[in-house]
Amino acid sequence: MKTQIRTLDVAYNVFCRFEQCAEVKHYPGLVALYALAQLAVVSQNPMIVSKAQKLLGRYPDQIDHPRYNFESYRVGGNGRAYLVMNGLDDAARDLLREYAEITLHAPVDANGIQCMPAPERLPLQQVWIDVVTATTPFMVMAGIALDEPKYVDYGIEQCFKMYDLFEDPQNHLLHQARGFMADVNAISEDHWSRGNGWGIIGLADILQYLPRTDARWEEAARRMRRHCEALRQYQTAHGLWRQSIACELAWEESSGTGLIAYSMGVALRMGVLDGATYFPVFQKAVQGLADWCLNADFSTERSCRGCLCPGVGAEKGTLKAYLCDVYAYRNEPHSFGPIMLAMIEAHKNGIREIAWKEKMFA
């Protein structure tokens, strides 16, 4: 039996489920906190605004920090930049500038792409598509909030250079990584679901935060249209995208689907995508997340665990490794933020409620 539920309520309850499972921090937590910051602004709910401010206000001094690949995480990442940009955390403006400057001077490869910063790995110049989500929104929002064009320039440059490196010319999907295999110049064989999400969210946030008068806005729109047309052809009957998107035998994956749906939703709102063609794709993805990736208690399903060029030996970075060496499980930490982002973007696109059924997967 199906009922209706508000998409913003789904987003908030998914965040609450995350809190019940673990402390919301590290990289997956920061994606969820970015979603919470967006939820605070769109809902105008004082309780959610206060919650976002409190949780992001713990950074950098009230968090037991792990080792980071990106120092922007230390200040709260994209969520903190979003609050400052929207006037909800003016006290953090100097902090935001400090960490934007650190990001601006992070290690880069020979092409200027931000690379793995560990000293022993710097000679390998290892780069991976995840950098886009960690860097592009943060720097674009920091630049807008602080009126510093150099930050915006850096964020956009990182996104476009990653697309130039990792976009497959045959199907226009993204690969994930270079420099992690025995041949350090080889690119991984995948078209990983979450990796495509990590890339396309950079384009989405350029489109929604950069003024349309900026010449690079249309370049982001062009890349978005091409990527979305590629993705549209691989959406499954359930509305999802697979772990390796172009492989028909791959399992359906929730975190990549959430990021892709969010990005398509932004592109629809910005008028970049044709509504008659893409709104049904977006709507199907949002409902697919509810039907196949969420349980009645807002626990999550089908999300790929941490996955950076998986495999060992000759199989490292191969399609087989992406399909067989990683797995999905209930309440996998990367799942929460992307599903929240998709539901918030559904609300912004006029999908205020979705069908909801009382069910738990076995």
Side-chain angles (χ1 to χ4, degrees), residues 11-52:
Y12 184 69
N13 280 286
V14 167
F15 186 83
C16 292
R17 173 58 61 184
F18 194 176
E19 287 187 300
Q20 292 169 3
C21 296
E23 183 181 3
V24 182
K25 64 174 191 177
H26 304 292
Y27 183 46
L30 287 168
V31 177
L33 287 170
Y34 180 34
L36 185 69
Q38 291 198 26
L39 182 61
V41 170
V42 72
S43 71
Q44 292 295 295
N45 183 317
M47 182 271 292
I48 298 176
V49 172
S50 177
K51 187 181 187 75

Side-chain angles (χ1 to χ4, degrees), residues 25-26 30 58-68 71-76 99:
K25 64 174 191 177
H26 304 292
L30 287 168
R58 299 181 304 159
Y59 291 85
D61 296 330
Q62 300 171 38
I63 292 288
D64 181 18
H65 296 281
R67 189 192 74 80
Y68 292 131
E71 285 300 300
S72 61
Y73 295 172
R74 202 172 296 277
V75 75
Y99 283 90

Side-chain angles (χ1 to χ4, degrees), residues 48 150 156 162 218 285 313 351 358:
I48 298 176
K150 64 183 179 181
I156 295 172
M162 281 284 189
E218 187 51 48
I351 305 174
E358 298 298 319

Side-chain angles (χ1 to χ4, degrees), residues 2 72 86 95 116 129 139 166 173 189 236 259 280 319 330 338 362:
K2 287 191 175 183
S72 61
N86 282 278
L95 274 173
M116 186 67 74
I129 194 65
M139 292 299 277
F166 287 130
L173 300 174
E189 293 179 1
T236 71
L259 295 167
L319 177 59
R330 181 167 295 166

Side-chain angles (χ1 to χ4, degrees), residues 140 144 152 156 205-212 214 216-217:
V140 169
I144 292 169
V152 176
I156 295 172
D205 283 358
I206 290 169
L207 289 170
Q208 67 175 329
Y209 304 139
L210 190 70
R212 289 174 182 257
D214 190 302
R216 295 165 298 184
W217 191 92

Side-chain angles (χ1 to χ4, degrees), residues 192-195 240-244 250-258 289 293 301-305 328 332 334-335:
W192 179 40
S193 172
R194 193 158 68 234
L240 310 177
W241 281 272
R242 299 187 184 278
Q243 163 71 351
S244 193
W251 44 278
E252 294 168 311
E253 204 278 329
S254 61
S255 67
T257 296
L289 288 167
C293 304
E301 305 283 350
R302 297 178 181 266
S303 177
C304 169
R305 68 162 175 82
E332 194 283 318
H334 294 86
S335 63

Side-chain angles (χ1 to χ4, degrees), residues 223-257:
R223 291 175 186 261
M224 174 66 81
R225 293 186 194 102
R226 187 166 64 196
H227 198 174
C228 286
E229 180 56 24
L231 289 163
R232 183 173 69 90
Q233 299 174 54
Y234 293 104
Q235 187 178 36
T236 71
H238 292 154
L240 310 177
W241 281 272
R242 299 187 184 278
Q243 163 71 351
S244 193
I245 291 173
C247 179
E248 291 185 2
L249 298 179
W251 44 278
E252 294 168 311
E253 204 278 329
S254 61
S255 67
T257 296

